[in-house]
Amino acid sequence: MSALANHAFAKMNGIGNEIVVVDLRDSKSQGRAQVSAEDARAVASPSGGVPYDQLMVLQPPRLQGTEAFIKIYNNDGSEAGACGNGMRCVVRRVFEKTGQTAATFETRAGLLNCWQGPAPDLYTVDMGAPKFGWQDIPLAEEFRDTRYIELQVGPIDKPVLHSPSVVSMGNPHAIFWVEDVNAYDLERFGPLLENHPIFPERANITLAHVVDRDHITIRTWERGAGLTKACGSAACATAVAAARLKRANRIVEVTLPGGKLGIEWRERDDHVLMTGTADFEYEGRFDPALFAGVA
Ligand SMILES: N[C@H](CCC[C@H](N)C(=O)O)C(=O)O
């Protein structure tokens, strides 16, 4: 039986990024409570499930001083190293239960310090330092300068999209610089680029428009989840890539289809701080029938 059968969940969203939070820390099957890719897909099922972009599963902490080890699933069952919007939802949920205003969580991509603020309805996640090496992203072949890489969609002499910046924020991102993020059929190009052989672990694909040195607008096709209203790690990756190209300041406001995020690429330690809201929608229990076909 799945660890999720009959288990409580919270449906939340981070500026429109659909998030389900499940806390398995108090589960009787602690330690053994593993969520499989099949479980994650079953939860996402439109028939009776709780459709989501990312499922955030809190497991017992592995390290002293951390609240939980968090596993992040995309709705196709694949695991992600980072999810900025999902982290803000987790942080709000935990803080509301415990009264904490700051905490450290562990994910596959490392330790994330999180706190409430700078206003009561805002949560900030220290997403860590970005990585730019081609092996870190990862890319399938060597690129010395990842500020732009040779990759294009469309005819050789008249590409529709070309020369993305690539960044790892704990997960792989490619950012295409455009004048109008709505002028492209991202539903068509997204899957092609996500699965391009240059990205051996696939990639999140973002269209970005630098409005001015303090403002950027983006739209993202997410690896493993498709078009979403917001992708926090993409906002971070884009802010960093724009600053690297000297096209924007290290503190910017990023506008996504679902809302706005404040991003700071902190000079002192290279860490990226992401600030935004997190909304609670409802809570419930997973219908065990969802997992009936799951071993
Ligand atoms: N929505 C998430 C990103 C999920 C990442 C995922 N699509 C992947 O890298 O596989 C965010 O707010 O950062």
Side-chain angles (χ1 to χ4, degrees), residues 14 17-19 53-54 56 72-76 78-88 108 127 169-173 194 201-204 220-226 228 230-236 256 261 274:
N17 192 181
E18 308 293 349
I19 305 291
D53 299 322
Q54 273 81 39
M56 314 290 289
I72 305 168
Y73 296 88
N74 291 307
N75 60 25
D76 74 349
S78 62
E79 263 191 72
C83 176
N85 293 323
M87 279 311 300
R88 291 198 316 286
R108 238 175 47 178
M127 300 280 288
M169 275 313 311
N171 55 352
H173 289 272
E194 172 194 359
E201 294 179 14
R202 305 191 283 161
N204 296 288
T220 301
W221 172 271
E222 283 195 26
R223 170 177 76 163
T228 59
C231 179
S233 49
C236 297
L256 305 90
L261 294 173
M274 176 208 58

